[in-house]
Amino acid sequence: MFKALAAAIARLFKIGVSGLRWCENLVLSPFKAIFGGGGAMPNPEFTPTMTSTELLEEYDANRKAQATSQHSNRDSVECVVKYAGASPAARATTDLSAVPADARITLLTMDDLELKALANAGPAKVRKWLEGRNHGIFGVPTVTPVDTAKSATPVMPPRAVMTPQEQMIWRIQSQLGKPDHSKEFRLA
């Protein structure tokens, strides 16, 4: 009983929608005929500038470049996990040549807890860490690019007698100069 009623309502709804579409086409068809609405657009002209062999050569070159970058990423991820999971004595002998310079500096400044968290993370998170993206590993600092101009300027020591404004500026500059890439774990 309910199925028959539902089918009748569905049929009426379908007829109503098709009737509305018919009315819409009836009203809008003169405007479409006058203003050129409707109909397919002609295909744009295209003349290729590369031959098929050039296209295949470029494809092969891109594929080889991608394969080498994936291989170097894999090597650097393995190297970081090996370094982070090693004992402090074994870390001194670990070869970090596969790791990018920015990540190497961050890796060398990390403490044991941060290294342990990095070693326990998965390869995808370690890859994100190497690229300097948001990696989602709790307690591990992100890799920041080394700015040689910023690291070359020394922080000015405070003078013995300073006005309150100079003291405030010195405090702000000293807070900005602190490395924030490595923070200790605090127990609550």
Side-chain angles (χ1 to χ4, degrees):
M1 169 88 170
F2 289 116
K3 287 184 181 180
L5 184 62
I9 291 173
R11 222 175 307 127
L12 285 174
F13 182 74
K14 193 174 183 181
I15 291 171
V17 169
S18 63
L20 285 175
R21 286 190 183 147
W22 182 81
C23 290
E24 180 186 20
N25 288 336
L26 180 69
V27 172
L28 293 179
S29 61
F31 294 109
K32 286 181 182 178
I34 294 171
F35 297 112
M41 295 287 293
N43 289 334
E45 291 186 29
F46 175 72
T47 54
T49 58
M50 296 178 72
T51 64
S52 60
T53 56
E54 292 174 338
L55 189 63
L56 287 174
E57 289 172 358
E58 184 178 351
Y59 174 74
D60 286 338
N62 287 339
R63 211 167 115 201
K64 288 177 185 176
Q66 186 178 10
T68 57
S69 71
Q70 286 178 353
H71 183 66
S72 66
N73 284 346
R74 189 178 315 131
D75 289 344
S76 57
V77 167
E78 289 175 1
C79 184
V80 166
V81 171
K82 180 181 174 185
Y83 177 83
S87 66
R91 286 185 201 135
T93 61
T94 304
D95 181 26
L96 296 176
S97 61
V99 180
D102 299 337
R104 192 177 317 139
I105 291 171
T106 306
L107 191 64
L108 293 173
T109 58
M110 291 168 58
D111 63 2
D112 290 336
L113 295 173
E114 293 169 339
L115 289 171
K116 184 178 179 183
L118 186 63
N120 292 335
K125 289 186 177 186
V126 174
R127 184 174 291 116
K128 287 180 183 178
W129 179 82
L130 281 168
E131 294 171 356
R133 298 186 308 175
N134 185 10
H135 48 74
I137 308 170
F138 179 73
V140 177
T142 56
V143 175
T144 54
V146 177
D147 186 14
T148 56
K150 182 180 177 184
S151 62
T153 58
V155 177
M156 183 177 65
R159 294 188 310 178
V161 179
M162 288 194 290
T163 64
Q165 292 84 8
E166 289 174 333
Q167 288 177 356
M168 185 182 297
I169 290 173
W170 183 81
R171 283 187 192 131
I172 292 171
Q173 286 177 343
S174 66
Q175 287 293 325
L176 290 175
K178 275 187 178 179
D180 60 347
H181 62 276
S182 180
K183 296 180 181 168
E184 63 185 45
F185 287 103
R186 296 189 182 166
L187 298 175

